[in-house]
Each structure stands twice: as C-alpha cells, then as structure tokens.
Amino acid sequence: MLHPDGQYDPNMLPGIVRPILRGEADMVLGSRFLDPGGARAGGMPLYKYVSNRFLTTIESWVLGQHFSELHTGYRAYSRAFLETVPYLRNSNDFVFDTQVIAQAINWRQRIVEVPVATKYFPEASSASFRQSIVYGLGTLATMGLLALHRSRLFRSRLFRD
C-alpha cells in the first residue's frame, strides 16, 4: 500500500516487502521516524509530527508493543495476513489504517517497521486539517474499542473471530 500523494518514494518498495519475502513479517510498516534524516527533515509539518507522536504513543500503550510510527502511508501485507485479518469489516476512510493494525495485533500477526524517507510539499497531503482531526479521533476510538474488546466489556465486530 502506497499513499498516492507523492510523499513516499516508490523505489523503496523492495525494502518494504523484503521482511515478508524472508518470512520475518506478516505486515510491514514504513516508518518516517526510523529514517536517519527523520520526518521533520523531510518537511513534515510540526502539527502532524506532534499528533503522530501523540497517537503512536497512545496506540503503542494500548497495543502493548512499541512502534516508532503507526500512521504511515507505506505498508505491505503478506497473503497470509490478508487471509487471516477480517479487514473487510473496517472503515473505507483513513481510520482503516489504524483498524487493520489493531486487528493485526489481535490476530497475533508479526509486524515489522523499516525506515522510509519522505518529502513534503504543498500538494503532498490529501488530508485536510479537519480530516486529520476526524482521523485522530477515529484512531483513539479504535484503541478504545480494542481495549473494551480485550476486557470483554464490549465485543466489537472488528475483533471478533
């Protein structure tokens, strides 16, 4: 999966799929925060940087794992992943990306992060500020649903077998 906004270099695709081909991962996330230059050096706006760090910290805590970034538009999924995780239950909006990560954790899929460089320019983001707020709230709601599902207080269809 590669967001079509021009931020990510398609030439990095071999590095994204390599952990899957080696049998080391079911899902690969391209992290702008593992790149030696960093997301800010690539021009990531400060508000996106801060919100990304905040959301990734909350998500890592709820998921019980440490990730450097969970809001990347550069990902790869193995065939086994797509046959295991019920992603068709997910939203058709930006929050799909968060829901599929939560499902990956719920179904004990192996997730690997690899560094990717990005570049930001005026036309590089397809999400408006309003859409970003809605996405952030959807991300927090997804983590809330997963936490409730795990506690058995509420059984979400996103995570039911």
Side-chain angles (χ1 to χ4, degrees), residues 58-80:
I58 298 296
E59 291 167 282
S60 290
W61 178 71
V62 172
L63 296 171
Q65 300 202 19
H66 175 74
F67 292 99
S68 68
E69 178 182 20
L70 292 171
H71 303 280
T72 176
Y74 214 159
R75 300 166 180 224
Y77 308 99
S78 71
R79 178 180 176 164

Side-chain angles (χ1 to χ4, degrees), residues 2 6 14 22 24 56 61 65 86 93 96 107 112 119 122 132-133 140 145 156 161:
L2 174 59
R22 289 182 178 164
E24 300 166 354
T56 295
W61 178 71
Q65 300 202 19
D93 206 340
F96 171 93
W107 272 273
V112 171
K119 59 182 182 235
S132 296
I133 295 294
L140 295 173
L145 281 175
S156 171
D161 289 330

Side-chain angles (χ1 to χ4, degrees), residues 60-118:
S60 290
W61 178 71
V62 172
L63 296 171
Q65 300 202 19
H66 175 74
F67 292 99
S68 68
E69 178 182 20
L70 292 171
H71 303 280
T72 176
Y74 214 159
R75 300 166 180 224
Y77 308 99
S78 71
R79 178 180 176 164
F81 179 94
L82 296 173
E83 292 174 342
T84 301
V85 173
Y87 62 88
L88 293 175
R89 297 177 188 171
N90 298 356
S91 168
N92 282 330
D93 206 340
F94 289 116
V95 77
F96 171 93
D97 294 346
T98 300
Q99 291 170 333
V100 80
I101 290 170
Q103 289 172 322
I105 297 296
N106 191 61
W107 272 273
R108 294 177 176 78
Q109 300 295 294
R110 298 167 300 158
I111 303 174
V112 171
E113 292 182 281
V114 298
V116 295
T118 55

Side-chain angles (χ1 to χ4, degrees), residues 133-144:
I133 295 294
V134 170
Y135 168 73
L137 293 173
T139 293
L140 295 173
T142 299
M143 291 301 108

